[in-house]
Amino acid sequence: MKKIVLLATALAMVSGSAFAADMPLKAVKAPPPPAFDPWDVAFGSAIMNDYIFRGVTQSNHNPSVAAYFEPRYNVTKDLQLYVGSSFESISFANRAAAEVDIYGGIRPTFGAFAFDIGVWGYLYPGGTCYFGAPTDNAGKPLSAECQANFLMNGNAMKKDVSFMEVYGKVNYTINDNWAVGVNEYYSPNFLNSGAWGDYASVTAKYTAPGSVFGTSGVGMYISGEFGRQWLGTSDSFYGVPQFAGFPNYTRGIPYASYDTWNIGIGFTYKVFTLDLRYSDTDLNKGNCNAFTSAFNASGTTNVTSINPGGLGSNWCGAAGIVKLSADLTAMTSLK
């Protein structure tokens, strides 16, 4: 009996020591969460075979390069303020050096709804006025530069076509794969033409599951947009000479509003995106020429009420776009 008691005592001491070894001597506090840093910067660049803006080429269907820089301030996780600047190479009739965009706005999020409201300025420095006459078709005197320079096809374009827009966008995320959106842009003086402009569109995007290409890290999406660009009447600079049987548009032309659409597929890998897209509009070649003042418009058969001379431009037609871009943010890409 004495041996049994001693054995039980020894087992209790061993077990107690084992349990004691398993217990921490002092509770360890969890590490504090990282401090909230509201500042971030997004930046990136792209190269594309054609720079298309709302269905209209800005690069004469030639390659273009782009870059952007966008500081951001996150007031909360659901409210972001931002400003930014971007650059795109272009080919305009006034031979402007480039498109330089300055923009800023606010991005609030409410559940599955993400809003974006702001102001966008499109600047086109380095342009030259092309007209080739002392006065415009309404008799308004023009500058010496406008008088001295002219385009061989008879089109005209102002030295400065810079303009600004206010915009509002909302995107609704249905689930991990589907999202839809609505966009609205308004300018009181589109392309400094004297005509107001209003653009509205709807968008849809399908993002494939992350496992679609196995463990390669490659992602895929399909997206599309359908929009309409409404346009007002230009000032007299873009008025046309009076032709028999045509309306008197010497004081300005009522630009043709038009529909535009695009659809494409994209592939992503880390910070890179390869986007393959088809874009088109319902603008005919004559109304396209009146709107763009294309320096390479030609012909005499594309006659419309606002384009009585018959020049035709292919700047608003079907186009295939191949774009390779890289998009980074300081908080995620540079750490």
Side-chain angles (χ1 to χ4, degrees), residues 26-325:
K26 186 177 181 180
V28 177
K29 293 183 178 179
F36 174 68
D37 186 354
W39 289 101
D40 201 357
V41 176
F43 56 98
S45 60
I47 183 170
M48 62 206 99
N49 71 312
D50 198 350
Y51 173 26
I52 301 288
F53 178 71
R54 298 177 191 170
V56 180
T57 182
Q58 309 290 283
S59 59
N60 186 27
H61 293 305
N62 289 319
S64 173
V65 294
Y68 73 93
F69 178 79
E70 184 184 290
R72 300 168 173 175
Y73 181 78
N74 298 297
V75 181
T76 69
K77 67 180 182 65
D78 296 319
L79 181 61
Q80 182 181 90
L81 308 177
Y82 66 93
V83 295
S85 179
S86 64
F87 161 92
E88 294 84 16
S89 60
I90 60 171
S91 182
F92 277 12
N94 67 354
R95 310 303 186 186
E99 177 183 315
V100 180
D101 302 331
I102 306 294
Y103 60 92
I106 182 172
R107 295 182 181 127
T109 301
F110 301 95
F113 290 91
F115 293 85
D116 189 351
I117 303 165
V119 178
W120 198 292
Y122 303 81
L123 309 177
Y124 301 95
T128 300
C129 182
Y130 286 87
F131 197 92
T135 65
D136 65 21
N137 292 300
K140 182 179 178 180
L142 297 175
S143 69
E145 181 183 89
C146 293
Q147 297 178 41
N149 299 290
F150 61 92
L151 297 172
M152 294 300 295
N153 60 10
N155 277 337
M157 195 171 196
K158 293 180 179 179
K159 173 185 179 70
D160 184 12
V161 294
S162 302
F163 70 105
M164 59 81 64
E165 287 183 319
V166 293
Y167 60 89
K169 301 185 285 185
V170 59
N171 192 72
Y172 177 70
T173 301
I174 300 172
N175 52 40
D176 291 342
N177 304 111
W178 287 98
V180 293
V182 177
N183 307 307
E184 167 66 23
Y185 295 79
Y186 176 78
S187 172
N189 190 5
F190 193 77
L191 283 170
N192 194 29
S193 64
W196 57 266
D198 186 275
Y199 179 73
S201 72
V202 292
T203 63
K205 183 176 182 179
Y206 169 75
T207 302
S211 59
V212 66
F213 291 108
T215 59
S216 65
V218 176
M220 186 189 78
Y221 64 84
I222 298 172
S223 65
E225 178 181 21
F226 180 86
R228 182 165 180 80
Q229 178 74 66
W230 288 274
L231 295 162
T233 299
S234 75
D235 57 32
S236 62
F237 183 92
Y238 293 107
V240 297
Q242 182 63 56
F243 281 76
F246 287 87
N248 184 1
Y249 288 145
T250 56
R251 296 190 178 276
I253 56 175
Y255 287 127
S257 300
Y258 65 93
D259 296 328
T260 179
W261 54 91
N262 67 77
I263 187 169
I265 184 171
F267 302 92
T268 61
Y269 180 71
K270 296 184 178 179
V271 301
F272 300 101
T273 300
L274 175 64
D275 190 276
L276 312 174
R277 191 158 301 273
Y278 167 81
S279 172
D280 206 349
T281 78
D282 63 354
L283 267 177
N284 60 47
K285 290 186 176 183
N287 288 337
C288 179
N289 174 67
F291 177 51
T292 63
S293 298
F295 58 80
N296 59 351
S298 61
T300 58
T301 60
N302 299 283
V303 176
T304 70
S305 63
I306 61 174
N307 190 62
L311 287 173
S313 171
N314 69 347
W315 284 12
C316 311
I321 309 160
V322 180
K323 180 179 179 180
L324 177 63
S325 59

